[in-house]
Amino acid sequence: MYSIRAIGWPLAGGRDLDEYLYDYIQFLDWHPALPWSMLFRTPATPLVLGPALDVADGALAEPLLAILFAASVVAWAAAARAFGVRAALLVAVALLVYPAYGLMFHELSSEPVFAAAFALWALLVARAAQRPSARRFAYVGLAVALLAFVRPGNALLLVFVLFVLTLGGTWTQRTNWATAFLAAALLPLAAWAVLNGVRFGDYALARGGNAVIPFYRAFITDRIVSPDNGPASRRLAGAIQQHLLTRNPYRAYHVTLPEVFSSGSFRIHEDLYLLSDQVFGWDSNYSVLRKAGIEAVRKHPGKYTSGVLETIWQQLSKSFFRSPPAEASKRHPQAEPGAKRRRLPRPTEGQPIPAGQNVWISRPDNCIRDVWTSPTGHHLTFCNRRVRRRVDEILRERGELFGGLPDRKGNAQLALRLNQLSRWFPRPIIWIALGLLGIAWRRPRGTRTMIALALAAFFVIVFNALGLFADPHFALPVAPAFILLAAGGLLGGRAYH
């Protein structure tokens, strides 16, 4: 199935691949030239994606993703086997023909790694719930640590300890199981936080996560960040007025302070991360952005809440398609209307400023700066030659790794048919409804475990919705939990009486 889809969907670079590659290239550097990506991400995804493109010039990348796809399907089917053979068969068939789920494994990003790790975790949970023991729940805890090493936000799955405490057994047994789970999960995460502290001075699993929720959503999606919201928002506005709007490309494009806050621009948002590090200090860890986001939510709770609920609904009710690659335009760049912008090229993607933001250059000593010499031209400057040489090496290695991606074109007709199949495949909300109806009607065995896995998946979706916009990439890795809920509810073996 993977090979057939690869004809229409050749492996392509996915979200934030460049940042994961910066992490991989510098992984063994004790004093990396570009520490931002290494602190903003956790290590599992870089250590999968980097070698996939590095070994044999990328020839093993698609086979590796094929193995992850197959392994995830097998793991989910094996997890469903705990509830019955028919349930396992339905899960296996559904995931094999689920185009949106399969598409993740044709994009090199954190999603396929997350999907495979979540499938492994679900299998370990199903087996531990069948025959609980401290050893089995220690494996479940280690899988939570692995999930957090793929995406740091997954550390919140530590709340799954509540499920352990609901299982049958004495309080002593359940306490032992929960202790084994928490110890196995927390020790690797704590060790990584200590390593970050010794290496970079940041004793945290990942840096900057406190700024994503809720600032990212409040600024980009809901557009409720405003200088009027509170002192942190006014402090941020003052820094923007003094340090962003006075230089290119903002000055040349006559971007105003109200336009910054009303634009919802992801390019401006990236500049705000760099602004925070350079103006408020690396040690502030984006506290001003976080506080500005909280002030926005407090000032506009209704808009924020309705936006989060709308995002959750979209994540559960929409499918995922790969758009055909855009053809390069032969037309000259269009000019902005108005006398002031007549001679400037129009920024792409409807943004107020041209592309070119590079938050990954951020360092505690501000040794690297992005200098704009014109409305569209910019270059990096360095405080010393050693850093410049190392950055040049990193950029060259990054280009070589990107060169490992397949350069073949996908079959357009097959890609179209796969997208059409995605439109007809049941959305997660349908699987949830079928599962709950089946559980209420049939009372199958293992109901507690099925619901717990579905709640864990739903928890991941809700957590992402608190800080991010609707994007199927954030929901698809956990979507099989809803298919398992439906399969177990409709076809699972009856509970013993």
Side-chain angles (χ1 to χ4, degrees):
M1 185 63 74
Y2 185 92
S3 299
I4 292 171
R5 287 175 176 155
I7 297 172
W9 290 331
L11 184 64
R15 295 183 319 105
D16 302 326
L17 177 57
D18 54 344
E19 292 179 13
Y20 292 118
L21 294 183
Y22 291 138
D23 195 341
Y24 167 70
I25 293 168
Q26 303 177 95
F27 191 76
L28 297 179
D29 293 354
W30 190 253
H31 300 289
L34 302 175
W36 187 88
S37 296
M38 304 188 71
L39 276 167
F40 206 76
R41 310 288 178 184
T42 36
T45 300
L47 292 180
V48 173
L49 305 186
L53 292 175
D54 200 0
V55 177
D57 295 327
L60 301 180
E62 279 186 295
L64 173 63
L65 270 287
I67 291 171
L68 290 181
F69 170 68
S72 69
V73 174
V74 170
W76 278 110
R81 180 65 181 82
F83 314 112
V85 174
R86 293 186 300 168
L89 289 174
L90 175 57
V91 167
V93 172
L95 290 180
L96 281 172
V97 300
Y98 191 175
Y101 185 74
L103 175 53
M104 284 191 304
F105 295 88
H106 296 272
E107 294 183 350
L108 213 57
S109 63
S110 65
E111 280 74 40
V113 185
F114 179 22
F118 194 77
L120 172 64
W121 179 75
L123 173 60
L124 294 173
V125 168
R127 292 190 171 177
Q130 270 188 311
R131 288 184 292 172
S133 70
R135 179 175 59 85
R136 290 193 172 206
F137 277 110
Y139 291 148
V140 175
L142 287 173
V144 169
L146 174 62
L147 285 167
F149 284 143
V150 174
R151 283 182 181 172
N154 289 333
L156 290 179
L157 285 175
L158 287 167
V159 300
F160 195 79
V161 70
L162 298 176
F163 167 75
V164 182
L165 296 174
T166 67
L167 295 174
T170 65
W171 269 108
T172 300
Q173 288 176 318
R174 284 180 282 177
T175 301
N176 290 338
W177 301 337
T179 301
F181 168 80
L182 289 175
L186 289 173
L187 286 176
L189 300 182
W192 184 255
V194 170
L195 179 62
N196 279 339
V198 173
R199 196 175 179 188
F200 303 110
D202 280 284
Y203 288 88
L205 179 63
R207 182 175 181 269
N210 61 352
V212 174
I213 297 176
F215 182 78
Y216 188 99
R217 178 184 190 91
F219 182 82
I220 290 183
T221 306
D222 300 329
R223 304 184 185 186
I224 55 178
V225 179
S226 168
D228 301 329
N229 291 340
S233 302
R234 287 190 292 273
R235 188 181 179 195
L236 175 61
I240 293 171
Q241 185 73 60
Q242 182 178 355
H243 298 280
L244 281 188
L245 303 186
T246 55
R247 65 170 177 81
N248 283 328
Y250 296 88
R251 182 177 61 189
Y253 280 87
H254 302 279
V255 178
T256 63
L257 189 63
E259 188 177 359
V260 167
F261 287 107
S262 64
S263 65
S265 168
F266 58 86
R267 292 177 183 172
I268 293 179
H269 176 269
E270 188 163 343
D271 271 343
L272 294 183
Y273 271 104
L274 197 55
L275 174 78
S276 177
D277 285 339
Q278 293 179 347
V279 176
F280 304 129
W282 179 277
D283 292 337
S284 70
N285 197 16
Y286 311 114
S287 61
V288 174
L289 300 185
R290 178 179 56 82
K291 292 176 182 177
I294 293 173
E295 289 174 352
V297 173
R298 288 175 176 170
K299 192 71 177 286
H300 306 277
K303 187 169 184 179
Y304 177 77
T305 301
S306 63
V308 169
L309 293 175
E310 175 63 21
T311 294
I312 294 171
W313 171 252
Q314 290 184 28
Q315 298 288 63
L316 296 176
S317 62
K318 289 192 174 182
S319 193
F320 182 30
F321 311 97
R322 176 183 283 188
S323 302
E327 294 184 2
S329 174
K330 297 181 181 179
R331 299 173 59 188
H332 293 290
Q334 297 179 347
E336 281 287 337
K340 292 183 178 180
R341 304 185 183 185
R342 187 175 300 138
R343 296 174 182 173
L344 296 177
R346 176 180 296 172
T348 57
E349 300 177 286
Q351 295 287 299
I353 55 173
Q357 292 66 40
N358 296 309
V359 67
W360 46 266
I361 67 173
S362 187
R363 289 167 49 104
D365 58 2
N366 293 324
C367 180
I368 309 174
R369 289 187 175 269
D370 197 1
V371 178
W372 289 72
T373 55
S374 73
T376 56
H378 59 109
H379 64 274
L380 300 181
T381 63
F382 303 85
C383 66
N384 62 65
R385 294 181 180 178
R386 180 186 61 80
V387 174
R388 181 181 191 121
R389 285 196 300 270
R390 181 55 182 149
V391 170
D392 288 342
E393 292 173 358
I394 293 169
L395 295 179
R396 183 174 63 255
E397 289 184 50
R398 182 200 64 177
E400 292 172 353
L401 291 173
F402 268 102
L405 289 168
D407 57 2
R408 70 180 189 278
K409 293 183 178 180
N411 184 287
Q413 279 299 316
L414 179 57
L416 174 62
R417 297 293 176 256
L418 290 171
N419 279 338
Q420 290 173 336
L421 287 174
S422 292
R423 189 182 305 277
W424 295 106
F425 192 86
R427 308 297 196 267
I429 191 66
I430 301 298
W431 293 109
I432 293 173
L434 291 174
L436 294 178
L437 287 173
I439 288 172
W441 173 43
R442 299 183 64 250
R443 306 284 181 177
R445 69 173 182 266
T447 296
R448 182 183 301 165
T449 305
M450 289 186 283
I451 293 177
L453 290 172
L455 284 176
F458 185 72
F459 180 72
V460 169
I461 292 173
V462 171
F463 176 73
N464 285 319
L466 293 174
L468 302 167
F469 49 82
D471 186 337
H473 286 95
F474 304 134
L476 282 171
V478 299
F482 305 130
I483 298 177
L484 184 146
L485 179 71
L490 296 174
L491 300 177
R494 295 295 186 104
Y496 300 112
H497 296 288

